[in-house]
């Protein structure tokens, strides 16, 4: 995974907050509070992993824009021969008659 400058800054910022949470979790686990310790380490791992792998801003933006587009425009970009092109109207749909 190649990170750009802004991605690297974002990862460093996340690590600034995740490392103390993980440290607290390890200390709680060593003190005998395994549930709290494991939960804190899990939260620290999630703080780093979720933004890097699951919350990709580009993927979220594409999904949002695709959801905002009308279905007619989404079908225009596909190369599926089964779907009619955008703007094309079947005569049978318009007046209920079919040409033979």
């Amino acid at each position: 995974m190649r990170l750009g400058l802004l991605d690297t800054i974002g990862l460093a910022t996340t690590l600034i907050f995740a490392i103390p949470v993980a440290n607290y979790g390890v200390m709680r686990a060593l003190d005998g509070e395994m549930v709290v310790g494991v939960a804190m380490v899990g939260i620290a791992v999630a703080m780093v992993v979720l933004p890097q792998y699951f919350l990709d801003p580009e993927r979220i933006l594409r999904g949002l824009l695709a959801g905002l587009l009308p279905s007619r425009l989404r079908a225009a970009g596909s190369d599926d021969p089964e779907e009619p092109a955008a703007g094309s109207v079947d005569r049978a749909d318009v007046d209920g008659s079919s040409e033979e």
Side-chain angles (χ1 to χ4, degrees):
M1 174 173 72
R2 301 181 83 185
L3 298 176
L5 180 62
L6 293 177
D7 295 328
T8 304
I9 293 171
L11 180 61
T13 304
T14 303
L15 286 173
I16 288 172
F17 293 104
I19 289 173
V21 173
N23 186 33
Y24 178 75
V26 169
M27 297 309 277
R28 291 296 102 206
L30 292 177
D31 287 342
E33 298 178 37
M34 290 301 290
V35 174
V36 175
V38 170
M40 288 297 148
V41 171
I43 290 171
V45 169
M47 287 171 67
V48 176
V49 171
L50 285 177
Q52 294 298 318
Y53 293 104
F54 299 113
L55 302 177
D56 182 23
E58 184 177 342
R59 187 180 330 161
I60 292 171
L61 184 61
R62 281 185 192 165
L64 178 66
L65 291 178
L68 293 175
L69 288 176
S71 61
R72 190 183 316 164
L73 294 177
R74 280 183 273 166
S78 68
D79 294 331
D80 189 11
E82 296 287 324
E83 292 183 22
S88 69
V89 177
D90 189 15
R91 263 187 85 67
D93 291 339
V94 174
D95 59 8
S97 65
S98 63
E99 295 181 26
E100 293 181 25

